[in-house]
Amino acid sequence: MSIALSAPDIKRALTRISHEILERNQGSSSIVLLGIPTRGAHLAARIATIITEIEGVAVPCGTLDITLFRDDLRLRAPKAIMPTTIPPSGIEDKDVILVDDVLFSGRTIRAALDALGEIGRPRTVQLAALVDRGHRELPIKADFVGKNLPTSKSQSVRVLLSEIDGRDEVGIEGEVL
Amino acid sequence: MRHLLSIEDLSKSDAVSILDTAHELARVSDGAVKKLPTLRGRTIVNLFAEDSTRTRISFEAAAKRLSADVINFSAKGSSVSKGESLKDTAMTLQAMGADAVVIRHSASGAAQRLADSQWMSGSVVNAGDGTHEHPSQALLDAFTIRKHLRAGAHDLEGLTVAIVGDVLHSRVARSNVLLLSKLGAKVILVAPPTLLPVGVESWPATVSYDFDSVIPFVDVVMMLRVQQERMSDLYFPNAREYSRYFGLNADRMKSMKQGSIVMHPGPMNRGLEISAEVADSARSVITEQVTNGVSVRMAILYVLLTGSALEAGSN
């Protein structure tokens, strides 16, 4: 496995994304962070912490599980459903920032948009991803990217986070075919 | 998992995963989302060859919340009452493209027969077969118990459950004994000897004939319906005597442990096995069982119908 991002790289990327989110939305007053479980949820919590440090106010942060909205449920073994927690202030007329670890085909984000549509009508929906590895199958793009990682489809990107895996690291596995 | 036929065939980990899935589904449908697109385009047939209100409605509500199409098929008013065999009925459903069949039948083993046959390719869910099993009811009961008494845990370790009444005719009792003991609870069956099945000593449960001696020690009292429609013999002298020894009334409820709950799978014979005061008391979780039933059945359909193309391919 070759290492694409080290722990300090990840920290710097998340700090930059936090600043970009604040800049784009002119502060934190209208934003709601929603992480896609499992690792996206931890990344969203980290971004929320950084934004709080910068702005001095807490931002609403929750999780959005998209399993029930996937378009490939017939083809895959049943996946455990993870918790969805929407902050009490809701998403109505807010700027929702979806947070995921890896942006790949774009199908997860499509499902997330469907899931959001069932919950309410945000003013805008934006997307932050720690890694964009390309190979989109849908017209979806990220607004905030930690790092663009050109990969081959035969490779896989592994994101490790200290909350789950004990350390922070992004690596690429497999050969370019 | 392709079918849900009995608790006996269900592993502990599959049971726990259905309960965990139901927990998340309950949270989703409690919140803003009332309808999920998960099973859009799938067809689920409710094949009820025996009367049922809540199980059929519950499966129908569960399927609809997951956006599946539901076809209700009951014995009365269909060609089953004209003498059509289970095989011909199944082949008709197959021809219509049913992805899953929820079957209630008066013959024990009907669901198993349907699943083992080559008559149809969809999933089979047993919604009660004769006096054999009723797995979805046991799962919703376990879910309700876990929610009240073991919140946050996966199993039912350390709890004691009394199942009281007509065990002989009760598929609910059989499924519950198997599931609750599988999940680590201790089960006590309380009934007159005439209403216990032959071979009950081999069940993973203890037996008592004395309700009053059991009641102060249990966390859950699960009352069973006296199934008069299945009774061809005289099993107890009269209703009043049954009620006095094995009914749950307000007096008896007073000796229950703090925090313990009263359950009943429904429909209730108020005044026979359970008094109206008890059924409507704060300890009673009977209506909540109905609510939880929908979430648990959503979980069952989700687990059986996702990845179905995968399994069909590998067969």
Side-chain angles (χ1 to χ4, degrees):
Chain A
M1 188 172 98
S2 71
I3 293 169
L5 289 173
S6 65
D9 292 336
I10 291 174
K11 186 159 188 289
R12 279 191 286 270
L14 292 177
T15 306
R16 177 175 52 75
I17 288 175
S18 305
H19 280 286
E20 284 174 1
I21 290 172
L22 287 170
E23 192 180 5
R24 163 86 72 95
N25 296 288
Q26 284 127 34
S28 64
S29 57
S30 66
I31 66 176
V32 177
L33 293 161
L34 289 180
I36 297 171
T38 324
R39 286 177 178 73
H42 292 293
L43 291 172
R46 288 194 198 184
I47 292 173
T49 309
I50 299 171
I51 289 180
T52 306
E53 281 166 13
I54 302 168
E55 294 284 289
V57 285
V59 286
C61 178
T63 60
L64 182 70
D65 185 62
I66 54 97
T67 311
L68 296 163
F69 295 84
R70 298 191 71 95
D71 60 5
D72 57 357
L73 286 169
R74 289 185 90 119
L75 311 170
R76 296 163 54 117
K79 267 188 65 180
I81 301 168
M82 307 298 285
T84 292
T85 45
I86 303 297
S89 50
I91 61 165
E92 205 64 34
D93 213 26
K94 298 286 170 76
D95 295 306
V96 170
I97 323 286
L98 294 172
V99 183
D100 203 1
D101 52 354
V102 180
L103 179 58
F104 184 23
S105 66
R107 288 181 189 267
T108 300
I109 303 306
R110 185 212 59 80
L113 292 172
D114 278 1
L116 275 182
E118 292 291 330
I119 296 167
R121 185 179 183 279
R123 184 167 57 175
T124 63
V125 182
Q126 299 159 36
L127 173 61
L130 182 62
V131 170
D132 182 350
R133 61 167 296 192
H135 305 290
R136 213 77 75 239
E137 294 165 7
L138 296 169
I140 280 170
K141 91 179 217 319
D143 301 272
F144 314 102
V145 179
K147 188 172 175 67
N148 284 299
L149 275 187
T151 53
S152 154
K153 267 196 164 175
S154 59
Q155 295 176 307
S156 62
V157 173
R158 272 190 64 186
V159 174
L160 305 179
L161 294 179
S162 55
E163 292 92 332
I164 306 164
D165 312 294
R167 69 194 156 103
D168 281 2
E169 190 176 279
V170 177
I172 303 177
E173 286 174 334
E175 297 298 311
V176 181
L177 294 179
Chain B
M1 243 175 103
R2 180 135 174 255
H3 308 297
L4 178 67
L5 303 173
S6 65
I7 295 296
E8 204 167 4
D9 298 330
L10 192 72
S11 68
K12 182 182 172 184
S13 67
D14 280 344
V16 169
S17 106
I18 289 174
L19 299 185
D20 290 348
T21 304
H23 177 74
E24 291 306 332
L25 285 166
R27 287 182 29 151
V28 171
S29 36
D30 272 355
V33 185
K34 286 279 173 249
K35 190 132 179 146
L36 294 157
T38 315
L39 298 180
R40 192 184 286 151
R42 309 298 196 88
T43 302
I44 293 166
V45 175
N46 280 329
L47 174 57
F48 278 67
E50 199 186 63
D51 289 340
S52 157
T53 325
R54 74 202 67 217
T55 305
R56 187 181 60 73
I57 294 176
S58 183
F59 268 109
E60 184 170 348
K64 284 182 170 165
R65 277 193 204 167
L66 292 171
S67 302
D69 297 319
V70 182
I71 299 173
N72 285 314
F73 191 110
S74 59
K76 282 181 197 128
S78 74
S79 30
V80 174
S81 59
K82 299 177 191 162
E84 189 180 52
S85 67
L86 186 60
K87 177 177 178 177
D88 289 328
T89 307
M91 283 168 38
T92 307
L93 300 178
Q94 168 70 9
M96 286 180 196
D99 294 292
V101 174
V102 177
I103 179 174
R104 154 81 51 108
H105 204 284
S106 59
S108 302
Q112 185 81 48
R113 184 77 189 93
L114 200 57
D116 290 345
S117 70
Q118 301 298 315
W119 304 332
M120 49 167 287
S121 60
S123 294
V124 177
V125 183
N126 183 1
D129 59 332
T131 55
H132 176 228
E133 281 226 39
H134 192 347
S136 66
Q137 177 72 41
L139 285 160
L140 81 88
D141 289 338
F143 181 84
T144 307
I145 296 171
R146 194 177 81 163
K147 197 170 154 195
H148 274 271
L149 303 171
R150 289 274 289 162
H154 287 296
D155 57 20
L156 303 176
E157 210 71 54
L159 297 178
T160 306
V161 181
I163 300 180
V164 187
D166 185 359
V167 178
L168 178 64
H169 299 98
S170 177
R171 51 197 175 207
V172 175
R174 182 190 294 266
S175 288
N176 260 311
V177 166
L178 295 171
L179 181 62
L180 300 178
S181 60
K182 212 169 262 198
L183 293 172
K186 191 169 163 268
V187 182
I188 305 172
L189 295 169
V190 183
T194 48
L195 287 176
L196 286 166
V198 176
V200 73
E201 55 288 342
S202 67
W203 290 22
T206 52
V207 172
S208 168
Y209 306 127
D210 181 5
F211 195 9
D212 286 312
S213 72
V214 168
I215 208 165
F217 306 104
V218 298
D219 303 290
V220 179
V221 177
M222 186 185 291
M223 302 306 298
L224 298 173
R225 183 171 65 91
V226 176
Q227 303 200 27
Q228 276 147 337
E229 79 277 16
R230 292 189 210 273
M231 289 187 184
S232 47
D233 276 320
L234 200 59
Y235 291 93
F236 46 82
N238 59 53
R240 248 179 61 206
E241 184 170 329
Y242 179 85
S243 188
R244 187 171 335 131
Y245 286 101
F246 296 99
L248 186 58
N249 51 35
D251 259 358
R252 238 178 213 131
M253 192 171 66
K254 281 189 195 126
S255 56
M256 281 179 72
K257 235 163 90 170
Q258 181 139 30
S260 55
I261 55 174
V262 174
M263 303 175 77
H264 192 298
M268 288 183 271
N269 295 312
R270 284 179 187 243
L272 182 54
E273 72 264 3
I274 189 165
S275 77
E277 280 164 285
V278 174
D280 303 328
S281 71
R283 282 196 193 283
S284 159
V285 296
I286 296 168
T287 48
E288 203 198 307
Q289 283 174 272
V290 178
T291 310
N292 292 340
V294 177
S295 303
V296 167
R297 287 171 177 126
M298 284 168 78
I300 291 169
L301 295 174
Y302 170 75
V303 169
L304 294 184
L305 286 175
T306 53
S308 53
L310 218 144
E311 288 193 34
S314 65
N315 282 348

